[in-house]
Amino acid sequence: MTILLKLRNAAKDCSNKDYSKALRLQADEIAGRLTIVHHDPTDENMQSLNGVWSKASRLLKNIPPEGDPAPLGGDAEPARLAA
């Protein structure tokens, strides 16, 4: 699985809107930098891609945990109180 697919899947599955947006933006940024490196393969462009890739990798490793799903057909409040 490519890092772009991992980022986009994680963004789709993440309930934290800000984190989801950051994951999508990183995927877009990597795609853009890959295009730049493809058309102009310089050291500077490769270093730029490497930096964006590293940031995306850190984002994937630090995805916040998802909360417990609500009980079927009901409110999450009783489950929270029982815990």
Side-chain angles (χ1 to χ4, degrees), residues 3-69:
I3 192 164
L4 294 176
L5 184 57
K6 287 180 186 178
L7 287 165
R8 295 195 193 287
N9 284 342
K12 181 181 64 166
D13 296 338
C14 186
S15 63
N16 183 319
K17 301 261 188 239
D18 293 331
Y19 215 87
S20 179
K21 182 179 179 181
L23 290 163
R24 279 192 319 275
L25 289 174
Q26 281 304 118
D28 293 343
E29 191 69 26
I30 288 175
R33 300 293 167 105
L34 282 170
T35 301
I36 291 170
V37 168
H38 176 72
H39 292 292
D40 187 18
T42 63
D43 288 341
E44 293 82 18
N45 289 339
M46 191 58 165
Q47 289 170 356
S48 176
L49 171 62
N50 187 39
V52 173
W53 194 294
S54 295
K55 184 177 177 183
S57 182
R58 280 193 311 274
L59 277 173
L60 282 173
K61 287 179 186 172
N62 297 315
I63 293 175
E66 295 293 326
D68 293 331

